[in-house]
Amino acid sequence: MESPPPVAVVAVPFPAQGHLNALLHLSLQLASRGLPVHYAAPPEHARQARARVHGWGGDALRLLRLHELPIPAYASPPPAATPGGGGPAAFPSHLMPLWEAFTAGAPAPLASLLAALSATHRRVVVLYDLANAFAAEEAARLPNGEGYGLICTSLSTLLWWTDAGTSLLRELSVGCIPIHTYIPEEFMEYSRKRARSDQTIPSSAGVLTNTCVTLEGESIDFFAEQLAGAGKKLFNVGPLNPILLLDASSSSEEQKGSSSSDKERHECLRWLDEQPPASVLYVSFGSTTSLRGEQVTELAAALRDSEQRFIWVLRDADRGNIFTDDCGEDHRHAKLMSEFTEETGGRGMVVTGWAPQLEILAHGATAAFLSHCGWNSTIESMAHGKPILGWPMHSDQPLNAELVCKHLEAGVLVRAVEKQREVIPRTTIQEAIEKVMVSDEGRKIQQRAMAIGEAVRSSAAAGGASRKDLEDFVAHITR
């Protein structure tokens, strides 16, 4: 009689782009090592993963077995625009109906999938976002199951919830403002009921993080000690995103060959090919925040007056369903952008849809990143040695911005975190741009970011600490 297959891995992401992205990268890392990986998400979010995965070859998704978890219908309201982006008003509360539907509807179909795999495999390994307490519970019910939580934010974010962790962050000059200041009460209540790390971590066999010693060594040491006392394993496997190394001096065809995607290259990459090395500022605020018109006007003026080359991704935040038929929001700044493009005379490019961020950050023409400091963006920028102009919006982003700008000294804050609820004037933005792009201090910051990038890439390379932790995790779950 044949023995059952040794292991099945089931990944259960939380339905927000940054969370989908991190667990998708981890799933592809495991699948590329020969493990059978099942990626389970609501239908439109499985589709979203397919549409937005980048940094991998075109056939990479064929390595995964995508499962659609049916959930109840939910409202998908347009995101609200916010002045400067900071504070609870910037939080993507328009996604709350989706998250409520997900936690109400996904447990039953996930349980059915896990039961089927449990009956046909020696071991079922469930990888779940820490926001998905129900997935931890379903994993714990399996007679041959093991659950592992993935921390999709910075590890330092979790330290804010303990007195000892808060003290450590203050020693590192990080996190002067409690994280809950940037999260509305409605989401705090949702987390208390359905998505708490104090539910997911205790019921797990271990924890994985999308970080490395170079970026968060002190937080890793602190957290490892806490987990060791509970008999749990910690695997620091970041950066999960592929690391792409493109050369601005290469020809367009050479760069196309060195990219990890065989899809047609985005027009912004072809534009970057024509720019001098380390001359372009990349501007993007992620998938959960929309800026009001007055803030867009101030930012446009700062980019114009700084006279620096730029790529500006100007798009509204994702709806709960990014495939909704209402596409008018991308054009609400059409008049301004028409005038702005004429004023800047080809010195920059405005992208009003999705952009290939990994390839932009990897490109040799890109010098720095004006960012909301979501963790995916932060670690992608650091891995490619690009300094950050921190413009945090909500949740863990203010802490991430301070981690990079104050502790790692690889960026500058566009403005103090505690003033993020205001419209940031053009002069303040321009001053930050010019500091990083053309000043002597900026050159030191760029050099610091490049050194950090080399260390992060070494960690992910053969023999590095993150690569070893990933290999140890694979060996552990296939033991």
Side-chain angles (χ1 to χ4, degrees), residues 2-55:
E2 288 189 19
S3 60
V7 64
V9 178
V10 181
V12 190
F14 185 70
Q17 179 60 42
H19 295 251
L20 290 166
N21 201 43
L23 197 45
L24 183 61
H25 283 316
L26 176 57
S27 297
L28 288 167
Q29 293 272 15
L30 298 176
S32 67
R33 288 164 170 76
L35 291 173
V37 181
H38 304 257
Y39 189 87
E44 57 268 31
H45 296 94
R47 181 182 172 193
Q48 186 171 329
R50 293 186 189 99
R52 289 184 172 178
V53 64
H54 64 306

Short mmCIF file of all heavy atoms in Angstrom, two decimals, residues 2-55:
data_model
loop_
_atom_site.label_atom_id
_atom_site.label_comp_id
_atom_site.label_asym_id
_atom_site.label_seq_id
_atom_site.Cartn_x
_atom_site.Cartn_y
_atom_site.Cartn_z
N GLU A 2 0.60 2.21 -0.91
CA GLU A 2 1.41 3.41 -0.98
C GLU A 2 1.15 4.32 0.21
O GLU A 2 0.02 4.47 0.66
CB GLU A 2 1.08 4.19 -2.26
CG GLU A 2 1.59 3.53 -3.53
CD GLU A 2 1.43 4.44 -4.72
OE1 GLU A 2 1.27 5.66 -4.51
OE2 GLU A 2 1.46 3.94 -5.86
N SER A 3 2.23 4.92 0.72
CA SER A 3 2.07 5.88 1.80
C SER A 3 1.55 7.19 1.22
O SER A 3 1.79 7.51 0.05
CB SER A 3 3.41 6.11 2.50
OG SER A 3 4.36 6.61 1.58
N PRO A 4 0.81 7.99 2.01
CA PRO A 4 0.28 9.26 1.50
C PRO A 4 1.41 10.24 1.21
O PRO A 4 2.51 10.12 1.77
CB PRO A 4 -0.59 9.75 2.66
CG PRO A 4 -0.05 9.09 3.87
CD PRO A 4 0.45 7.76 3.41
N PRO A 5 1.15 11.22 0.32
CA PRO A 5 2.16 12.26 0.08
C PRO A 5 2.57 12.89 1.41
O PRO A 5 1.76 13.02 2.33
CB PRO A 5 1.44 13.25 -0.82
CG PRO A 5 0.36 12.45 -1.48
CD PRO A 5 -0.06 11.42 -0.48
N PRO A 6 3.82 13.29 1.52
CA PRO A 6 4.32 13.73 2.84
C PRO A 6 3.70 15.00 3.39
O PRO A 6 3.37 15.06 4.57
CB PRO A 6 5.83 13.90 2.60
CG PRO A 6 5.97 14.09 1.13
CD PRO A 6 4.88 13.29 0.50
N VAL A 7 3.54 16.02 2.57
CA VAL A 7 3.10 17.30 3.12
C VAL A 7 2.34 18.10 2.08
O VAL A 7 2.63 18.03 0.89
CB VAL A 7 4.32 18.13 3.63
CG1 VAL A 7 5.24 18.49 2.50
CG2 VAL A 7 3.87 19.38 4.38
N ALA A 8 1.32 18.81 2.55
CA ALA A 8 0.64 19.81 1.73
C ALA A 8 0.71 21.14 2.47
O ALA A 8 0.49 21.19 3.69
CB ALA A 8 -0.81 19.42 1.48
N VAL A 9 1.01 22.20 1.77
CA VAL A 9 1.07 23.54 2.36
C VAL A 9 -0.14 24.34 1.88
O VAL A 9 -0.43 24.37 0.68
CB VAL A 9 2.37 24.28 1.95
CG1 VAL A 9 2.40 25.69 2.53
CG2 VAL A 9 3.59 23.48 2.41
N VAL A 10 -0.85 24.96 2.82
CA VAL A 10 -2.01 25.78 2.48
C VAL A 10 -1.75 27.19 2.98
O VAL A 10 -1.54 27.41 4.19
CB VAL A 10 -3.30 25.22 3.11
CG1 VAL A 10 -4.50 26.10 2.70
CG2 VAL A 10 -3.53 23.77 2.69
N ALA A 11 -1.75 28.16 2.08
CA ALA A 11 -1.52 29.56 2.43
C ALA A 11 -2.86 30.29 2.46
O ALA A 11 -3.63 30.22 1.50
CB ALA A 11 -0.59 30.21 1.42
N VAL A 12 -3.13 31.01 3.56
CA VAL A 12 -4.40 31.73 3.73
C VAL A 12 -4.09 33.20 3.98
O VAL A 12 -3.84 33.62 5.11
CB VAL A 12 -5.23 31.14 4.89
CG1 VAL A 12 -6.63 31.74 4.89
CG2 VAL A 12 -5.29 29.62 4.82
N PRO A 13 -4.10 34.02 2.91
CA PRO A 13 -3.76 35.44 3.07
C PRO A 13 -4.95 36.24 3.59
O PRO A 13 -6.10 35.84 3.48
CB PRO A 13 -3.41 35.87 1.65
CG PRO A 13 -4.28 34.99 0.80
CD PRO A 13 -4.35 33.67 1.50
N PHE A 14 -4.64 37.39 4.17
CA PHE A 14 -5.66 38.37 4.52
C PHE A 14 -5.90 39.24 3.29
O PHE A 14 -4.93 39.65 2.62
CB PHE A 14 -5.16 39.23 5.69
CG PHE A 14 -6.17 40.20 6.23
CD1 PHE A 14 -7.28 39.74 6.93
CD2 PHE A 14 -6.02 41.56 6.06
CE1 PHE A 14 -8.21 40.63 7.44
CE2 PHE A 14 -6.94 42.46 6.57
CZ PHE A 14 -8.05 41.99 7.26
N PRO A 15 -7.16 39.54 2.94
CA PRO A 15 -7.45 40.21 1.66
C PRO A 15 -7.20 41.71 1.65
O PRO A 15 -8.11 42.52 1.63
CB PRO A 15 -8.92 39.88 1.43
CG PRO A 15 -9.50 39.72 2.79
CD PRO A 15 -8.40 39.11 3.62
N ALA A 16 -5.93 42.08 1.70
CA ALA A 16 -5.49 43.45 1.44
C ALA A 16 -4.19 43.30 0.66
O ALA A 16 -3.41 42.37 0.92
CB ALA A 16 -5.26 44.20 2.75
N GLN A 17 -3.94 44.19 -0.31
CA GLN A 17 -2.88 43.96 -1.28
C GLN A 17 -1.53 43.64 -0.65
O GLN A 17 -0.86 42.71 -1.05
CB GLN A 17 -2.74 45.17 -2.21
CG GLN A 17 -1.64 45.03 -3.26
CD GLN A 17 -1.85 43.85 -4.18
OE1 GLN A 17 -2.95 43.60 -4.63
NE2 GLN A 17 -0.79 43.11 -4.46
N GLY A 18 -1.11 44.40 0.36
CA GLY A 18 0.18 44.15 0.97
C GLY A 18 0.26 42.77 1.60
O GLY A 18 1.30 42.11 1.57
N HIS A 19 -0.85 42.32 2.20
CA HIS A 19 -0.87 41.01 2.84
C HIS A 19 -0.93 39.90 1.80
O HIS A 19 -0.24 38.88 1.92
CB HIS A 19 -2.07 40.93 3.79
CG HIS A 19 -1.98 41.87 4.94
ND1 HIS A 19 -1.75 41.44 6.24
CD2 HIS A 19 -2.08 43.22 5.01
CE1 HIS A 19 -1.72 42.49 7.05
NE2 HIS A 19 -1.92 43.58 6.33
N LEU A 20 -1.76 40.08 0.78
CA LEU A 20 -1.79 39.11 -0.31
C LEU A 20 -0.41 38.95 -0.92
O LEU A 20 0.05 37.84 -1.21
CB LEU A 20 -2.76 39.58 -1.41
CG LEU A 20 -4.26 39.58 -1.11
CD1 LEU A 20 -4.99 40.39 -2.17
CD2 LEU A 20 -4.80 38.17 -1.06
N ASN A 21 0.29 40.07 -1.10
CA ASN A 21 1.58 40.09 -1.76
C ASN A 21 2.62 39.30 -0.98
O ASN A 21 3.34 38.47 -1.54
CB ASN A 21 2.02 41.55 -1.91
CG ASN A 21 3.06 41.74 -2.99
OD1 ASN A 21 2.95 41.17 -4.07
ND2 ASN A 21 4.06 42.54 -2.71
N ALA A 22 2.70 39.54 0.32
CA ALA A 22 3.73 38.87 1.13
C ALA A 22 3.54 37.35 1.15
O ALA A 22 4.49 36.59 0.97
CB ALA A 22 3.70 39.42 2.55
N LEU A 23 2.31 36.91 1.38
CA LEU A 23 2.08 35.46 1.46
C LEU A 23 2.19 34.82 0.08
O LEU A 23 2.57 33.65 -0.03
CB LEU A 23 0.73 35.17 2.09
CG LEU A 23 0.50 33.75 2.61
CD1 LEU A 23 1.70 33.22 3.39
CD2 LEU A 23 -0.75 33.68 3.47
N LEU A 24 1.88 35.56 -0.98
CA LEU A 24 2.06 35.03 -2.32
C LEU A 24 3.54 34.82 -2.62
O LEU A 24 3.94 33.79 -3.17
CB LEU A 24 1.45 35.98 -3.34
CG LEU A 24 1.50 35.53 -4.80
CD1 LEU A 24 0.74 34.22 -5.00
CD2 LEU A 24 0.94 36.60 -5.72
N HIS A 25 4.37 35.78 -2.24
CA HIS A 25 5.82 35.61 -2.43
C HIS A 25 6.33 34.41 -1.64
O HIS A 25 7.13 33.62 -2.16
CB HIS A 25 6.56 36.87 -1.98
CG HIS A 25 6.50 38.00 -2.96
ND1 HIS A 25 6.67 37.85 -4.31
CD2 HIS A 25 6.30 39.33 -2.77
CE1 HIS A 25 6.58 39.02 -4.92
NE2 HIS A 25 6.35 39.94 -4.00
N LEU A 26 5.89 34.25 -0.39
CA LEU A 26 6.32 33.10 0.40
C LEU A 26 5.85 31.80 -0.25
O LEU A 26 6.60 30.81 -0.31
CB LEU A 26 5.78 33.21 1.83
CG LEU A 26 6.09 32.03 2.75
CD1 LEU A 26 7.59 31.76 2.86
CD2 LEU A 26 5.50 32.26 4.15
N SER A 27 4.62 31.78 -0.72
CA SER A 27 4.09 30.58 -1.38
C SER A 27 4.93 30.21 -2.59
O SER A 27 5.25 29.03 -2.81
CB SER A 27 2.64 30.82 -1.81
OG SER A 27 1.81 31.06 -0.69
N LEU A 28 5.32 31.21 -3.39
CA LEU A 28 6.13 30.93 -4.57
C LEU A 28 7.54 30.47 -4.18
O LEU A 28 8.14 29.63 -4.86
CB LEU A 28 6.18 32.17 -5.46
CG LEU A 28 4.87 32.49 -6.20
CD1 LEU A 28 4.91 33.89 -6.79
CD2 LEU A 28 4.61 31.45 -7.28
N GLN A 29 8.07 31.04 -3.09
CA GLN A 29 9.37 30.58 -2.61
C GLN A 29 9.33 29.09 -2.26
O GLN A 29 10.23 28.32 -2.60
CB GLN A 29 9.77 31.38 -1.36
CG GLN A 29 10.06 32.85 -1.60
CD GLN A 29 11.51 33.13 -1.99
OE1 GLN A 29 12.26 32.22 -2.35
NE2 GLN A 29 11.89 34.39 -1.93
N LEU A 30 8.26 28.69 -1.58
CA LEU A 30 8.14 27.28 -1.18
C LEU A 30 7.85 26.38 -2.38
O LEU A 30 8.42 25.29 -2.51
CB LEU A 30 7.04 27.13 -0.12
CG LEU A 30 7.27 27.87 1.19
CD1 LEU A 30 6.07 27.72 2.11
CD2 LEU A 30 8.54 27.37 1.90
N ALA A 31 6.96 26.83 -3.26
CA ALA A 31 6.62 26.03 -4.43
C ALA A 31 7.82 25.83 -5.34
O ALA A 31 7.99 24.77 -5.95
CB ALA A 31 5.47 26.68 -5.19
N SER A 32 8.68 26.85 -5.43
CA SER A 32 9.87 26.74 -6.28
C SER A 32 10.86 25.73 -5.72
O SER A 32 11.78 25.30 -6.43
CB SER A 32 10.54 28.10 -6.43
OG SER A 32 11.10 28.54 -5.20
N ARG A 33 10.66 25.33 -4.47
CA ARG A 33 11.50 24.29 -3.86
C ARG A 33 10.82 22.92 -3.89
O ARG A 33 11.24 22.00 -3.20
CB ARG A 33 11.84 24.69 -2.41
CG ARG A 33 12.85 25.83 -2.35
CD ARG A 33 12.92 26.49 -0.99
NE ARG A 33 14.05 27.40 -0.89
CZ ARG A 33 14.11 28.61 -1.43
NH1 ARG A 33 13.08 29.08 -2.12
NH2 ARG A 33 15.19 29.37 -1.30
N GLY A 34 9.79 22.81 -4.67
CA GLY A 34 9.17 21.51 -4.91
C GLY A 34 8.03 21.14 -3.99
O GLY A 34 7.49 20.04 -4.08
N LEU A 35 7.62 22.06 -3.10
CA LEU A 35 6.52 21.74 -2.19
C LEU A 35 5.18 22.01 -2.87
O LEU A 35 5.03 23.00 -3.59
CB LEU A 35 6.61 22.58 -0.92
CG LEU A 35 7.77 22.27 0.02
CD1 LEU A 35 7.84 23.30 1.14
CD2 LEU A 35 7.62 20.88 0.60
N PRO A 36 4.17 21.15 -2.65
CA PRO A 36 2.83 21.44 -3.16
C PRO A 36 2.18 22.53 -2.30
O PRO A 36 1.95 22.33 -1.11
CB PRO A 36 2.10 20.10 -3.03
CG PRO A 36 2.81 19.39 -1.92
CD PRO A 36 4.24 19.85 -1.95
N VAL A 37 1.87 23.67 -2.90
CA VAL A 37 1.35 24.81 -2.17
C VAL A 37 -0.03 25.17 -2.70
O VAL A 37 -0.21 25.39 -3.90
CB VAL A 37 2.28 26.03 -2.26
CG1 VAL A 37 1.71 27.20 -1.45
CG2 VAL A 37 3.68 25.68 -1.75
N HIS A 38 -1.00 25.25 -1.80
CA HIS A 38 -2.37 25.62 -2.12
C HIS A 38 -2.60 27.04 -1.57
O HIS A 38 -2.46 27.27 -0.37
CB HIS A 38 -3.36 24.65 -1.47
CG HIS A 38 -3.13 23.22 -1.86
ND1 HIS A 38 -3.90 22.56 -2.78
CD2 HIS A 38 -2.19 22.32 -1.44
CE1 HIS A 38 -3.47 21.32 -2.91
NE2 HIS A 38 -2.43 21.15 -2.11
N TYR A 39 -2.96 27.97 -2.46
CA TYR A 39 -3.17 29.37 -2.08
C TYR A 39 -4.68 29.60 -2.07
O TYR A 39 -5.34 29.53 -3.10
CB TYR A 39 -2.48 30.28 -3.10
CG TYR A 39 -2.42 31.75 -2.75
CD1 TYR A 39 -1.39 32.26 -1.97
CD2 TYR A 39 -3.38 32.63 -3.23
CE1 TYR A 39 -1.31 33.61 -1.67
CE2 TYR A 39 -3.32 33.99 -2.94
CZ TYR A 39 -2.28 34.47 -2.16
OH TYR A 39 -2.20 35.81 -1.86
N ALA A 40 -5.23 29.84 -0.87
CA ALA A 40 -6.68 29.88 -0.69
C ALA A 40 -7.13 31.29 -0.35
O ALA A 40 -6.78 31.84 0.70
CB ALA A 40 -7.11 28.92 0.41
N ALA A 41 -7.95 31.89 -1.24
CA ALA A 41 -8.39 33.27 -1.06
C ALA A 41 -9.76 33.44 -1.72
O ALA A 41 -10.15 32.62 -2.56
CB ALA A 41 -7.38 34.23 -1.69
N PRO A 42 -10.50 34.50 -1.36
CA PRO A 42 -11.76 34.78 -2.06
C PRO A 42 -11.52 34.93 -3.56
O PRO A 42 -10.41 35.31 -3.98
CB PRO A 42 -12.23 36.11 -1.45
CG PRO A 42 -11.59 36.13 -0.09
CD PRO A 42 -10.26 35.46 -0.28
N PRO A 43 -12.52 34.65 -4.40
CA PRO A 43 -12.32 34.61 -5.85
C PRO A 43 -11.64 35.86 -6.42
O PRO A 43 -10.67 35.75 -7.18
CB PRO A 43 -13.75 34.45 -6.40
CG PRO A 43 -14.48 33.74 -5.31
CD PRO A 43 -13.90 34.26 -4.02
N GLU A 44 -12.13 37.06 -6.06
CA GLU A 44 -11.55 38.24 -6.66
C GLU A 44 -10.13 38.49 -6.16
O GLU A 44 -9.32 39.16 -6.82
CB GLU A 44 -12.41 39.49 -6.41
CG GLU A 44 -12.68 39.81 -4.96
CD GLU A 44 -13.99 39.18 -4.47
OE1 GLU A 44 -14.36 38.10 -4.97
OE2 GLU A 44 -14.62 39.77 -3.59
N HIS A 45 -9.79 37.93 -5.00
CA HIS A 45 -8.44 38.15 -4.48
C HIS A 45 -7.46 37.10 -4.99
O HIS A 45 -6.26 37.38 -5.11
CB HIS A 45 -8.50 38.23 -2.95
CG HIS A 45 -9.29 39.41 -2.52
ND1 HIS A 45 -10.63 39.31 -2.22
CD2 HIS A 45 -8.97 40.72 -2.42
CE1 HIS A 45 -11.09 40.51 -1.94
NE2 HIS A 45 -10.11 41.39 -2.06
N ALA A 46 -7.96 35.93 -5.35
CA ALA A 46 -7.12 35.00 -6.10
C ALA A 46 -6.80 35.61 -7.47
O ALA A 46 -5.67 35.55 -7.96
CB ALA A 46 -7.83 33.66 -6.27
N ARG A 47 -7.81 36.25 -8.06
CA ARG A 47 -7.61 36.93 -9.34
C ARG A 47 -6.66 38.11 -9.18
O ARG A 47 -5.80 38.37 -10.03
CB ARG A 47 -8.97 37.40 -9.87
CG ARG A 47 -8.92 38.09 -11.22
CD ARG A 47 -10.32 38.56 -11.62
NE ARG A 47 -10.27 39.39 -12.81
CZ ARG A 47 -11.28 40.14 -13.25
NH1 ARG A 47 -12.43 40.15 -12.57
NH2 ARG A 47 -11.15 40.88 -14.33
N GLN A 48 -6.79 38.84 -8.09
CA GLN A 48 -5.91 39.97 -7.81
C GLN A 48 -4.47 39.52 -7.69
O GLN A 48 -3.54 40.18 -8.18
CB GLN A 48 -6.37 40.67 -6.54
CG GLN A 48 -5.64 41.95 -6.19
CD GLN A 48 -6.32 42.68 -5.03
OE1 GLN A 48 -7.53 42.60 -4.86
NE2 GLN A 48 -5.54 43.38 -4.24
N ALA A 49 -4.27 38.38 -7.03
CA ALA A 49 -2.91 37.84 -6.90
C ALA A 49 -2.33 37.51 -8.27
O ALA A 49 -1.16 37.79 -8.56
CB ALA A 49 -2.94 36.59 -6.02
N ARG A 50 -3.16 36.93 -9.12
CA ARG A 50 -2.70 36.60 -10.47
C ARG A 50 -2.33 37.86 -11.25
O ARG A 50 -1.32 37.90 -11.97
CB ARG A 50 -3.80 35.86 -11.25
CG ARG A 50 -4.16 34.48 -10.73
CD ARG A 50 -5.15 33.82 -11.70
NE ARG A 50 -5.70 32.60 -11.16
CZ ARG A 50 -6.90 32.51 -10.57
NH1 ARG A 50 -7.65 33.60 -10.44
NH2 ARG A 50 -7.34 31.36 -10.11
N ALA A 51 -3.15 38.91 -11.10
CA ALA A 51 -2.97 40.12 -11.90
C ALA A 51 -1.76 40.93 -11.47
O ALA A 51 -1.13 41.60 -12.29
CB ALA A 51 -4.23 40.98 -11.82
N ARG A 52 -1.42 40.89 -10.19
CA ARG A 52 -0.42 41.82 -9.68
C ARG A 52 0.90 41.18 -9.24
O ARG A 52 1.80 41.89 -8.81
CB ARG A 52 -1.02 42.61 -8.50
CG ARG A 52 -2.08 43.61 -8.94
CD ARG A 52 -2.56 44.44 -7.77
NE ARG A 52 -3.43 45.53 -8.18
CZ ARG A 52 -4.02 46.37 -7.35
NH1 ARG A 52 -3.81 46.26 -6.04
NH2 ARG A 52 -4.80 47.33 -7.80
N VAL A 53 1.02 39.88 -9.33
CA VAL A 53 2.29 39.28 -8.96
C VAL A 53 3.37 39.80 -9.90
O VAL A 53 3.17 39.90 -11.11
CB VAL A 53 2.23 37.74 -8.98
CG1 VAL A 53 1.98 37.22 -10.38
CG2 VAL A 53 3.52 37.15 -8.41
N HIS A 54 4.50 40.19 -9.35
CA HIS A 54 5.59 40.63 -10.21
C HIS A 54 6.92 40.28 -9.56
O HIS A 54 7.00 40.00 -8.37
CB HIS A 54 5.49 42.12 -10.53
CG HIS A 54 5.63 43.03 -9.36
ND1 HIS A 54 4.87 42.93 -8.23
CD2 HIS A 54 6.45 44.10 -9.16
CE1 HIS A 54 5.21 43.88 -7.38
NE2 HIS A 54 6.16 44.60 -7.90
N GLY A 55 7.93 40.28 -10.39
CA GLY A 55 9.24 39.87 -9.93
C GLY A 55 9.52 38.39 -10.16
O GLY A 55 10.62 37.92 -9.94
#
